[in-house]
């Protein structure tokens, strides 16, 4: 994030030394007649001009090459890169090429042929004027397409139909490679009365049209103010209108700014720049460094499972019962041994207090991937499913039929003693305690496992409506507690084993005793601690998008690190449900804060409760209990000098705490170079990048105060760089967002605030180009290790992880990927 503001109370905003060339005035700016703004800014983000003392480098400039900058007489710097951008403009597109996969005339012609009809007056096919937007790919922006058609026709006589020849002429004009031709069309769009002049009212109308087209929230008063700002800059002689030459200058300067600032991530040469003093790593080495901790844990686990299976398999191969049941018996008993081990092991990853405590020990944290605890829990659950199928399936389909149907003489010589010298039928075997408890466990585990999968847990729309009604997080939460019965049945099952009378062979309790006691102890500890942590709600805020922000009293002795999360319970909704939420407050804050978005049943209820409490005035807020804090992947940001934080929507929550912590820390005291063993120096990143991607403009309200607080920190310009991406706005360079971008640059230059997000951070349009972003990071931080932290849907996680591996192998910069898992 770059903020460049210079206040000069009684002067005028200057765009550049070459701006407003159409005005025959001198380079000095006259006094503005508008009273909407009274602060003077020399904008770097808007124009190629910046104010900087000669020979110095501003603290906010990171890696920008100024070798070609020339110092002008008035102390302003004019970048040669900006001049090159102005002379080679290829922006201001009328056709959304990216969105239509390379739209060409043949595509437009094909659409025309589908929409065209023939009138009685002539054989030439015609198309309704209202279908113009559909034909050129602007079907999502019909009002804008209609205004574009009016400008292309250039006449006040409105025709109701369009011929193919006219459409082709319009197409050629829109695709004209010359900037002057395209800016003329846009000028005519704004010039509604077609008199060659644009008034303030016409600019306001175009602003409102552009905002509506891009689904931006804009009032008439705000549009009036932004129109005034444009007139301040362009109407230097206070004529009350602007002409084409002034309009052209505005967009030339804006587009040159876009070439330098917004498109600085684009690749103008090879994206992979190797450090001549450091060889890039091979793909095998990168994969090993990225996954060795996961690999050795999984390998150790698999080794233990196979060893236990082989041990029991061989042991029962030499038992007399093998003569009747054969390898079915060995397989079932081998699977049973792995089941004992995995039923014990599956509890350890969800002992959250233990995991959080182990994270504090650096040597353990360096070899054990605690960030994957939930993934390991799921992996072990999958192994249990396989074990149940092998154990239960071979018993039911093979062992029991062989027992009931075996030769009576052979039965008496081998296993009759284990059955009281009575050869049971298949039904009698199923009615025994061993089998009945086993079947009951399978039924309970099937219910719990099925409801814990992604589709039922998230109430996927692909499920039938009748199924969705009985699924969701609540169902998952309660069904998971069926495992209390499963473990009880497991103990009973293990005490009544076939073919085993020796107590030392009934080892199930040996496997599960310690994990069960640890897990039960954790639950008791959490219950006691959460009872002590009834917190007072200091402030509750309701935001668009059904988001509620809670500012809570910080309990005495409550200490945590940035990136951690807590569990929240609301007894008014349920005394049993606890839900995890990332802390958005910094460790140094004297309060705790969380942001909760309505996604499931519980969050919907909590939102409604606080909405009712706020609307009813002095009504008391519902009681809240908290439990935690607990460790998360984002905690590992302290291991890196450079961190990249990527959040989608509400996924930015864990990174707010990190940014506040980084902004409040002293990066200069990062390492202890004095050799003082007793010195306690807080380690933290030297540089942090935030990339926040959201779909709706109203989402910026969620963290506006937090981001302003971060921006106001005295360290933010050199430590933190924030980028917002608004995906429902058309890509930068598209004519539908061009005026919005120009206003954005002007307003940021004058006030240091992005008018779209309401924060100092610049808001980019459309989705980020991750390849270009990673390329820029690799060039800026050669030879360093960058931690990439992501919170959001899994689809993007795979792409980001792939890019981390790719750039780690192609460049000397190593990217290490981390994803939040709850």
């Amino acid at each position: 994030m770059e903020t460049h503001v210079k206040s000069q109370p009684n002067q005028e905003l200057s765009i550049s030394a070459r701006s407003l060339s159409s005005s025959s005035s001198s380079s000095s700016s006259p006094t503005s007649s508008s009273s909407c703004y009274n602060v003077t800014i020399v904008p770097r983000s808007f124009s190629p001009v910046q104010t900087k003392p000669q020979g110095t480098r501003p603290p906010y400039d990171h890696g920008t090459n100024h070798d070609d900058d020339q110092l002008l007489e008035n102390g302003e710097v004019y970048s040669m890169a900006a001049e090159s951008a102005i002379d080679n403009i290829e922006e201001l597109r009328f056709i959304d090429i990216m969105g239509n996969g390379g739209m060409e005339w043949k595509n437009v012609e094909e659409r025309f042929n589908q929409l065209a009809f023939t009138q009685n007056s002539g054989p030439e096919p015609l198309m309704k004027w209202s279908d113009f937007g559909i034909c050129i790919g602007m079907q999502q922006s019909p009002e804008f397409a209609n205004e574009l058609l009016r400008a292309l026709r250039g006449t006040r006589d409105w025709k109701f139909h369009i011929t193919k020849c006219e459409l082709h002429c319009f197409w050629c004009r829109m695709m004209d490679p010359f900037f002057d031709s395209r800016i003329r069309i846009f000028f005519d769009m704004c010039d509604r009365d077609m008199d060659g002049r644009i008034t303030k009212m016409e600019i306001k109308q175009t602003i409102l049209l552009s905002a509506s087209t891009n689904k931006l929230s804009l009032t008439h008063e705000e549009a009036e103010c932004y129109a005034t700002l444009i007139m301040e800059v362009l109407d230097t002689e206070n004529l009350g209108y602007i002409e084409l030459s002034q309009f052209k200058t505005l967009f030339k300067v804006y587009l040159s700014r876009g070439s330098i600032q917004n498109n600085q991530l684009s690749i103008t040469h090879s994206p992979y720049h190797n450090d001549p003093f450091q060889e890039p790593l091979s793909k095998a080495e990168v994969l090993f460094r990225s996954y060795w901790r996961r690999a050795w844990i999984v390998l150790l686990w698999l080794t233990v499972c196979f060893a236990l299976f082989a041990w029991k398999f061989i042991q029962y191969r030499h038992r007399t019962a093998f003569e009747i049941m054969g390898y079915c018996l060995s397989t079932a008993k081998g699977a049973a041994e792995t089941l004992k081990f995995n039923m014990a092991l599956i509890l350890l990853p969800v002992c959250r207090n233990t995991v959080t405590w182990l994270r504090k020990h650096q040597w353990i944290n360096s070899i054990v991937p605690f960030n994957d605890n939930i993934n390991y829990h799921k992996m072990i659950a999958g192994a249990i499913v396989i074990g149940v199928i092998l154990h239960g399936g071979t018993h039911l389909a093979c062992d029991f039929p062989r027992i009931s149907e075996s030769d009576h003489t052979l039965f008496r010589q081998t296993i009759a003693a284990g059955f009281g010298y009575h050869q049971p039928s298949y039904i009698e075997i199923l009615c025994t305690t061993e089998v009945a408890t086993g079947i009951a466990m399978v039924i309970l585990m099937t219910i719990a496992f099925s409801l814990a999968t992604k589709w039922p847990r998230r109430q996927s729309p692909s499920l039938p409506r009748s199924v969705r009604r009985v699924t969701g997080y609540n169902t998952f939460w309660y069904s998971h507690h069926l495992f209390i019965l499963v473990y009880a049945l497991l103990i009973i099952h293990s005490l009544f084993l076939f073919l085993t009378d020796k107590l030392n062979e009934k080892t199930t309790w040996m496997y599960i005793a310690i994990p069960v006691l640890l897990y039960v102890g954790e639950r008791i500890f959490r219950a006691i601690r959460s009872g002590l942590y009834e917190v007072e709600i200091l402030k509750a805020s309701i935001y668009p998008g059904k988001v509620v922000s809670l500012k809570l009293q910080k309990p005495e002795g409550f200490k945590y690190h940035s990136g951690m999360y807590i569990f929240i319970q609301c007894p008014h909704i349920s005394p049993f449900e606890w839900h995890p939420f990332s802390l958005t407050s910094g460790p140094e804050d004297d309060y705790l804060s969380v942001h909760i978005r309505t996604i499931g049943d519980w969050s919907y209820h909590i939102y409604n409760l606080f909405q009712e409490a706020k609307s009813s005035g002095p009504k008391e807020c519902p009681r809240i209990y908290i439990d935690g804090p607990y460790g998360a992947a984002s905690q590992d940001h302290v291991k890196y000098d450079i961190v990249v934080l990527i959040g989608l929507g509400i996924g930015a929550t864990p990174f707010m705490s990190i940014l506040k912590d980084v902004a409040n820390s002293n990066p200069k005291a990062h390492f202890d170079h004095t050799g003082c063993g007793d010195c306690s120096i807080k380690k933290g990143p030297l540089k942090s990048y935030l990339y926040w991607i959201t779909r709706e403009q109203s989402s910026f309200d969620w963290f506006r105060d937090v981001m302003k607080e971060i921006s106001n920190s005295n360290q933010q310009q050199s430590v933190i760089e924030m980028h917002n991406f608004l995906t429902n706005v058309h890509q930068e360079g598209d004519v539908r967002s061009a005026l919005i971008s120009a206003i954005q640059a002007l307003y940021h230059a004058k006030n240091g605030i992005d008018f779209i997000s309401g924060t100092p951070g610049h808001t980019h349009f459309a989705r980020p180009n991750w390849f270009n972003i990673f390329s820029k990071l690799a060039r800026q931080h050669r030879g360093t290790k960058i931690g990439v932290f992501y919170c959001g849907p899994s689809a993007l996680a795979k792409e980001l992880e792939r890019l981390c591996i790719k750039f780690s192998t192609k460049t000397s910069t190593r990217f290490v990927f981390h994803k939040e898992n709850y």
Side-chain angles (χ1 to χ4, degrees):
M1 177 187 64
E2 297 183 1
T3 306
H4 311 288
V5 179
K6 179 179 177 182
S7 298
Q8 297 175 353
N10 298 315
Q11 298 178 10
E12 173 58 56
L13 179 123
S14 170
I15 296 182
S16 76
R18 296 174 23 150
S19 66
L20 307 180
S21 57
S22 64
S23 303
S24 58
S25 58
S26 63
S27 60
S28 60
S29 303
T31 304
S32 170
S33 62
S34 172
S35 61
C36 190
Y37 300 98
N38 57 9
V39 181
T40 296
I41 312 293
V42 178
R44 177 177 182 269
S45 61
F46 170 71
S47 74
V49 178
Q50 64 175 349
T51 301
K52 181 184 76 172
Q54 187 175 6
T56 64
R57 180 171 177 170
Y60 47 76
D61 193 353
H62 308 288
T64 305
N65 187 2
H66 293 284
D67 294 341
D68 296 329
D69 288 352
Q70 296 179 348
L71 191 66
L72 303 184
E73 293 181 0
N74 60 353
E76 295 175 332
V77 175
Y78 185 82
S79 172
M80 297 298 292
E83 179 148 14
S84 175
I86 293 175
D87 294 336
N88 298 283
I89 285 174
E90 296 180 356
E91 299 289 343
L92 200 62
R93 301 182 306 274
F94 286 93
I95 304 300
D96 189 2
I97 297 175
M98 297 297 294
N100 290 280
M103 194 170 185
E104 299 176 356
W105 165 248
K106 62 181 180 181
N107 306 116
V108 178
E109 187 177 26
E110 182 180 345
R111 294 187 182 186
F112 177 87
N113 293 334
Q114 293 174 353
L115 298 168
F117 61 92
T118 304
Q119 282 187 333
N120 297 330
S121 58
E124 188 176 13
L126 303 171
M127 180 187 71
K128 293 180 181 179
W129 68 268
S130 56
D131 292 332
F132 176 72
I134 299 175
C135 215
I136 65 170
M138 282 193 185
Q139 58 268 25
Q140 302 298 327
S141 313
E143 293 182 9
F144 197 93
N146 294 342
E147 289 298 319
L148 176 58
L149 177 60
R150 178 190 56 77
L152 289 167
R153 280 179 160 164
T155 176
R156 296 175 184 175
D157 297 330
W158 190 260
K159 297 179 181 179
F160 290 97
H161 303 113
I162 304 173
T163 65
K164 184 184 290 188
C165 182
E166 288 175 327
L167 183 63
H168 186 261
C169 180
F170 298 155
W171 171 264
C172 292
R173 289 182 62 191
M174 290 187 293
M175 299 301 291
D176 194 310
F178 294 101
F179 175 73
D180 287 356
S181 300
R182 283 174 279 137
I183 197 65
R184 176 75 207 202
I185 298 173
F186 193 28
F187 180 86
D188 290 341
M189 279 188 63
C190 301
D191 183 15
R192 294 177 180 251
D193 57 6
M194 309 298 288
D195 63 351
R197 299 171 178 178
I198 300 177
T199 63
K200 177 180 170 182
M201 178 56 66
E202 289 173 326
I203 291 178
K204 175 185 174 181
Q205 291 174 336
T206 308
I207 291 172
L208 290 170
L209 175 63
S210 298
S212 174
T213 301
N214 290 281
K215 300 177 183 178
L216 296 176
S217 176
L218 201 67
T219 65
H220 283 266
E221 291 75 15
E222 290 171 331
E224 177 85 16
C225 206
Y226 301 144
T228 300
L229 177 60
I230 291 177
M231 295 300 291
E232 269 190 340
V233 174
L234 300 182
D235 184 19
T236 56
E237 297 181 358
N238 299 324
L239 300 175
Y241 61 84
I242 58 175
E243 297 179 335
L244 177 61
S245 56
Q246 297 161 297
F247 193 72
K248 186 193 304 182
T249 301
L250 170 67
F251 283 94
K252 275 195 173 184
V253 175
Y254 145 64
L255 290 174
S256 69
R257 187 273 309 174
S259 299
I260 297 172
Q261 178 174 317
N262 295 335
N263 299 326
Q264 60 181 312
L265 304 179
S266 62
I267 307 301
T268 55
H269 40 76
S270 173
Y272 307 116
H273 280 266
N274 296 332
D275 192 332
F277 301 102
Q278 183 173 353
E279 289 292 329
L281 304 175
S282 66
K283 187 171 183 179
E285 187 174 357
V286 170
L287 290 173
F288 175 78
R289 290 191 177 190
S290 299
Y291 300 114
W292 72 268
R293 296 194 304 163
R294 298 177 184 174
W296 84 264
I297 289 288
V298 173
L299 186 61
L300 176 63
W301 172 68
L302 289 174
T303 301
V304 173
C305 288
F306 281 117
L308 291 172
F309 183 91
W311 171 50
K312 279 297 175 181
F313 187 93
I314 295 171
Q315 186 183 78
Y316 275 84
R317 171 68 180 80
H318 300 289
R319 296 284 178 94
T320 56
F322 185 82
E323 297 180 30
I324 291 181
M325 290 173 277
Y327 286 104
C328 291
L329 175 64
S330 298
T331 301
K333 291 298 183 179
E337 204 66 20
T338 63
L339 276 172
K340 297 175 191 177
F341 172 66
N342 286 321
M343 287 295 288
L345 194 63
I346 197 171
L347 294 174
L348 298 182
V350 291
C351 292
R352 299 177 187 269
N353 285 293
T354 303
V355 171
T356 302
W357 178 76
L358 290 173
R359 280 176 180 271
K360 299 177 182 178
H361 298 77
Q362 187 175 358
W363 68 274
I364 300 178
N365 198 21
S366 63
I367 60 174
V368 178
F370 292 114
N371 296 336
D372 293 310
N373 63 320
I374 300 300
N375 291 331
Y376 287 131
H377 179 74
K378 295 176 182 178
M379 182 180 68
I380 297 167
I384 290 174
V385 171
I386 295 172
V388 167
I389 293 172
L390 282 175
H391 178 69
T394 52
H395 270 332
L396 293 171
C398 183
D399 291 335
F400 298 164
R402 288 187 178 186
I403 291 173
S404 61
E405 297 172 4
S406 64
D407 180 76
H408 187 68
T409 303
L410 182 61
F411 176 81
R412 294 194 63 176
Q413 293 175 353
T414 53
I415 60 174
F419 291 89
Y421 297 96
H422 167 68
Q423 186 172 1
S425 65
Y426 189 83
I427 300 298
E428 288 176 328
I429 295 174
L430 293 181
C431 293
T432 59
T433 304
E434 303 94 307
V435 180
T437 54
I439 292 174
M441 280 192 292
V442 171
I443 294 172
L444 293 175
M445 285 193 288
T446 301
I447 295 172
F449 283 146
S450 300
L451 295 175
T453 55
K454 180 173 68 174
W455 296 279
R457 181 176 176 175
R458 298 184 180 179
Q459 292 182 309
S460 172
S462 61
L463 295 173
R465 182 176 297 179
S466 57
V467 176
R468 289 205 304 270
R469 289 177 181 174
V470 295
T471 57
Y473 187 86
N474 290 348
T475 307
F476 152 76
W477 176 256
Y478 290 117
S479 65
H480 238 54
H481 286 78
L482 291 174
F483 279 95
I484 297 173
L485 294 176
V486 170
Y487 278 96
L489 291 170
L490 180 61
I491 295 297
I492 298 172
H493 181 77
S494 66
L495 296 176
F496 295 89
L497 294 178
F498 290 126
L499 313 175
T500 302
D501 292 327
K502 297 178 181 179
L503 187 62
N504 62 346
E505 290 188 5
K506 299 179 179 182
T507 58
T508 302
W509 69 272
M510 298 180 188
Y511 280 97
I512 68 173
I514 294 177
V516 167
L517 288 174
L518 179 63
Y519 182 76
V520 171
E522 281 230 353
R523 295 302 294 264
I524 294 172
F525 173 73
R526 288 176 61 181
I528 296 173
R529 182 177 61 180
S530 61
L532 300 175
Y533 279 172
E534 181 183 358
V535 293
E536 179 185 350
I537 299 173
L538 304 178
K539 182 181 179 183
S541 302
I542 303 296
Y543 292 116
K546 292 188 175 181
V547 171
V548 58
S549 170
L550 301 180
K551 186 176 181 180
L552 311 173
Q553 179 188 13
K554 189 175 183 178
E556 186 176 353
F558 190 95
K559 296 180 180 180
Y560 65 98
H561 300 288
S562 54
M564 299 182 85
Y565 66 95
I566 59 174
F567 279 88
I568 292 182
Q569 182 213 69
C570 180
H572 189 85
I573 300 174
S574 171
F576 305 109
E577 289 185 49
W578 292 85
H579 294 262
F581 296 98
S582 298
L583 288 164
T584 53
S585 53
E588 304 300 325
D589 292 334
D590 57 357
Y591 61 89
L592 303 176
S593 65
V594 293
H595 287 67
I596 302 172
R597 187 176 187 184
T598 302
I599 296 175
D601 295 341
W602 187 90
S603 55
Y604 178 81
H605 288 308
I606 201 81
Y607 177 83
N608 282 345
L609 283 174
F610 281 99
Q611 189 177 42
E612 291 173 7
K614 287 188 70 67
S615 61
S616 59
K619 181 180 176 182
E620 270 192 29
C621 290
R623 283 189 299 133
I624 290 291
Y625 291 93
I626 66 171
D627 176 42
Y630 293 104
S634 298
Q635 269 187 270
D636 290 340
H637 72 276
V638 296
K639 297 180 180 179
Y640 303 94
D641 293 341
I642 311 296
V643 295
V644 176
L645 311 173
I646 302 171
L648 266 65
I650 202 65
T653 47
F655 306 138
M656 296 297 113
S657 175
I658 293 174
L659 292 177
K660 291 180 75 172
D661 192 21
V662 171
N664 293 328
S665 64
N666 184 5
K668 293 181 179 180
H670 189 73
F671 296 107
D672 182 9
H673 297 290
T674 63
C676 175
D678 297 330
C679 294
S680 177
I681 298 179
K682 183 179 180 180
K683 189 181 186 305
L686 293 173
K687 181 71 175 179
S688 301
Y689 298 89
L690 172 68
Y691 295 91
W692 182 23
I693 302 94
T694 186
R695 186 180 302 159
E696 299 174 353
Q697 182 190 11
S698 58
S699 302
F700 293 121
D701 293 349
W702 304 344
F703 306 117
R704 180 173 293 128
D705 293 338
V706 178
M707 295 178 77
K708 284 183 178 179
E709 181 181 345
I710 293 168
S711 300
N712 291 334
S713 169
N714 60 353
Q715 295 292 343
Q716 63 90 15
Q717 287 192 3
S718 60
V719 179
I720 297 172
E721 189 173 310
M722 292 189 286
H723 298 272
N724 304 321
F725 288 84
L726 187 58
T727 59
N728 67 354
V729 177
H730 293 283
Q731 196 173 31
E732 286 158 344
D734 192 302
V735 69
R736 288 168 286 186
S737 63
L739 190 58
I740 297 296
S741 296
I743 297 169
Q744 181 188 30
L746 279 169
Y747 193 83
H748 191 281
K750 179 175 277 291
N751 299 280
I753 295 292
D754 183 274
F755 89 96
I756 293 176
S757 65
T759 69
H762 178 75
T763 300
H764 306 268
F765 300 153
R767 299 179 185 276
N769 187 323
W770 294 114
F771 184 88
N772 291 350
I773 289 173
F774 274 76
S775 178
K776 176 197 172 187
L777 292 169
R779 291 198 306 271
Q780 282 190 337
H781 305 287
R782 297 180 184 180
T784 60
K785 186 167 71 171
I786 299 177
V788 179
F789 296 85
Y790 171 73
C791 185
S794 300
L796 180 57
K798 295 176 182 178
E799 179 187 350
L800 294 173
E801 190 169 17
R802 179 182 59 81
L803 286 172
C804 286
I805 295 173
K806 186 170 187 174
F807 277 88
S808 295
T809 56
K810 299 292 185 181
T811 69
S812 61
T813 307
R814 185 189 168 202
F815 294 87
V816 185
F817 183 74
H818 303 264
K819 182 182 182 299
E820 287 289 338
N821 296 300
Y822 295 105

